[in-house]
Amino acid sequence: MFKHILVPTDGSALSESTVARAVSFAKDAGARITFFYAQPDFPMPIYGEGALIDPTTPEQFAKSAASEASAILAKAKASADEAGVASDTDTAVNEVPYEAIIDAADRHGCDLIFMASHGRRGIAGLLLGSETQKVLTHSKTPVLVYR
């Protein structure tokens, strides 16, 4: 049914568990995977009384973020390779992760987004605003939530 699955990952323990489950799912479905990492943009510093000044330049930040993305995506791809599942990786700089995820799914022609959920409920879920919830709300591509 599904032939191309987008699997967003951030390298967290929950995300790594989701990568493993997505690889198993893709293998059973005969699908290929594109692993995706949304890189943060350089944060605009706000200086005020008592503020700490971060000596990191935008270039250093971008290099560090790209390095982190490469490491996280390489680990996910290795998991798929080990299971014999065809996979690719992609990353983009975007301060709004859910938008980057939806854009990646569209750009790669994915027919499913396979995401993790932290399972927050009540006030915590409402206040923290899950990226998964935002993808569910805004994506035209079906989303499978692994919890």
Side-chain angles (χ1 to χ4, degrees), residues 15-117:
S15 214
E16 287 180 8
S17 170
T18 303
V19 163
R21 185 63 189 113
V23 167
S24 174
F25 180 85
K27 186 171 185 167
D28 290 346
R32 64 188 171 111
I33 295 176
T34 295
F35 295 105
F36 179 74
Y37 180 84
Q39 294 181 49
D41 200 0
F42 185 73
M44 294 304 296
I46 299 173
Y47 300 109
E49 192 174 320
L52 297 175
I53 297 174
D54 184 356
T56 304
T57 66
E59 293 78 19
Q60 290 170 320
F61 184 86
K63 186 177 179 183
S64 176
S67 176
E68 180 180 25
S70 292
I72 289 168
L73 292 170
K75 189 172 183 181
K77 184 165 179 30
S79 174
D81 291 347
E82 187 178 307
V85 174
S87 67
D88 291 309
T89 63
D90 185 26
T91 185
V93 176
N94 191 325
E95 199 54 41
V96 186
Y98 84 87
E99 288 179 355
I101 292 165
I102 293 169
D103 289 346
D106 292 343
R107 190 170 58 252
H108 292 285
C110 297
D111 52 11
L112 179 69
I113 301 172
F114 193 113
M115 293 186 72
S117 173

